Amino acid sequence: MTIKKIALTLCALLAGFSVAGAQTVGPALPAGIIAHPALWHVEGEAGQVYLLGSVHVLPPDMNWRTPRISMALSRADVFVFEVPEDAAAVKQLQGLVQSHGFLPPGEKLRNMLHPQFRADYDAAVKSSGLEPASIERERPWLAGIQLMFAQISKLRYAASNGVDSVLMESATRNHKSVRYLESITDQFALLAPDDRTLELEEFEAGLKELRDVSAGIRPMVTAWANGDQAKLDELINGDLNQFPDARKTLLDDRNQRWLPRIQAMLKEKHVFFVVVGAGHLTGPMGVPALLRKAGYRVQGP
């Protein structure tokens, strides 16, 4: 699975890394972009759950609070996210990156590359706008994600515009109860591979693709904004279907772990608003489909 596909997948599946990887930038798109993302509603024995998918980086001024979403937000008394995004979480993530994201002293990333890939690497770094020295000591997995998020920020997309970040800040400000489905450590374990040879091969294979990040992220955001679950499933899960081990780790296993957690929520006397990466809610292995298979009546696509 190439670095570009991994990084684009992070935008729709993993919340934690986008907090540290994508920086806030000034608006450069037309104001008032109207979005109509899909929303699901499930009623249980005592509780109710709303499910909203998030692309963790979005352009500025995108209005995604449809009347139905606004109503659900007003009813909810507990908000549930993938991972925390507060200062402590960012500090923890930065510590993990510091421990597992860098090459041994004296090694440089460009020198590790096979000669035929060095021109592609130089072009990718130049296109990102990053200084070569800023990534030369990073392991391939981290350098690839840094290059990817640098491109995303140039498109004026930012994690601070993502649905989860916006709603987490709102929930905290309004003193709502907040829960999390995973820890920063859980999500980091999905990012840093153990096989260093495969890590380098995947990095080299994805270097050419890093010149046109918009070709991946824009269609994904458009499908999400239009509530087009079939297209979103094709864009996210279509790529992952070519890499069954990655799909199992990033998507299917996590959905299965979350299912009993959501079922337990439906037994509590609360209205929950659950925000997870949009890729977790699409297709036959998505959370809504799993809830339906478990016998729940799920309103939504």
Side-chain angles (χ1 to χ4, degrees):
M1 190 174 187
T2 69
I3 288 292
K4 181 184 176 186
K5 288 184 171 64
I6 291 171
L8 287 174
T9 299
L10 299 185
C11 296
L13 297 182
L14 296 179
F17 203 83
S18 62
V19 178
Q23 301 301 316
T24 303
V25 294
L29 295 177
I33 303 169
I34 305 300
H36 301 277
L39 180 72
W40 291 261
H41 179 233
V42 192
E43 291 197 43
E45 298 173 26
Q48 300 179 45
V49 169
Y50 289 94
L51 295 164
L52 179 64
S54 173
V55 178
H56 300 303
V57 293
L58 286 176
D61 301 319
M62 177 172 277
N63 182 3
W64 46 264
R65 292 179 188 252
T66 64
R68 187 162 179 251
I69 291 175
S70 295
M71 180 274 294
L73 290 171
S74 69
R75 296 189 63 211
D77 62 322
V78 182
F79 287 78
V80 183
F81 304 96
E82 289 183 35
V83 291
E85 296 184 5
D86 57 11
V90 172
K91 183 178 180 180
Q92 181 186 8
L93 178 58
Q94 290 171 341
L96 289 167
V97 170
Q98 191 66 35
S99 300
H100 301 282
F102 292 90
L103 298 170
E107 291 189 18
K108 292 185 178 181
L109 178 57
R110 191 179 187 279
N111 295 343
M112 294 172 58
L113 303 176
H114 293 89
Q116 65 268 33
F117 293 107
R118 289 174 184 167
D120 291 332
Y121 172 80
D122 294 339
V125 173
K126 182 178 180 180
S127 182
S128 74
L130 296 173
E131 290 294 328
S134 69
I135 62 170
E136 67 180 7
R137 289 202 56 249
E138 293 180 350
R139 279 179 54 183
W141 74 264
L142 178 58
I145 292 171
Q146 294 278 60
L147 290 168
M148 183 70 186
F149 277 124
Q151 289 278 7
I152 288 174
S153 69
K154 288 172 69 175
L155 294 172
R156 303 300 188 262
Y157 287 58
S160 59
N161 300 326
V163 174
D164 33 9
S165 293
V166 170
L167 291 183
M168 197 176 300
E169 190 277 332
S170 175
T172 301
R173 185 177 66 252
N174 292 298
H175 307 289
K176 297 287 187 178
S177 178
V178 176
R179 301 183 190 178
Y180 305 103
L181 294 169
E182 295 177 331
S183 69
I184 289 292
T185 303
D186 292 333
Q187 289 209 351
F188 187 83
L190 303 172
L191 297 173
D194 293 325
D195 188 332
R196 300 297 181 94
T197 300
L198 180 61
E199 177 187 357
L200 182 61
E201 289 175 356
E202 290 178 342
F203 178 73
E204 291 175 331
L207 284 172
K208 285 187 183 295
E209 297 178 296
L210 286 170
R211 300 184 189 191
D212 188 17
V213 171
S214 64
I217 189 67
R218 288 188 190 277
M220 186 185 299
V221 171
T222 298
W224 173 84
N226 291 337
D228 188 342
Q229 292 304 113
K231 185 63 175 177
L232 198 57
D233 187 52
E234 175 190 330
L235 290 170
I236 299 171
N237 298 331
D239 273 345
L240 283 178
N241 286 340
Q242 302 173 48
F243 307 94
D245 290 342
R247 179 193 168 93
K248 183 175 185 298
T249 299
L250 287 169
L251 191 67
D252 296 341
D253 287 352
R254 296 168 72 209
N255 290 353
Q256 290 288 352
R257 286 196 296 269
W258 295 351
L259 182 63
R261 301 278 300 277
I262 294 172
Q263 289 174 308
M265 294 174 200
L266 291 166
K267 297 178 182 179
E268 298 184 47
K269 292 184 178 180
H270 291 290
V271 177
F272 295 87
F273 197 99
V274 179
V275 183
V276 296
H280 291 286
L281 304 182
T282 67
M285 294 300 291
V287 172
L290 294 178
L291 286 166
R292 288 178 175 126
K293 290 176 184 176
Y296 293 93
R297 181 172 177 267
V298 181
Q299 296 179 339

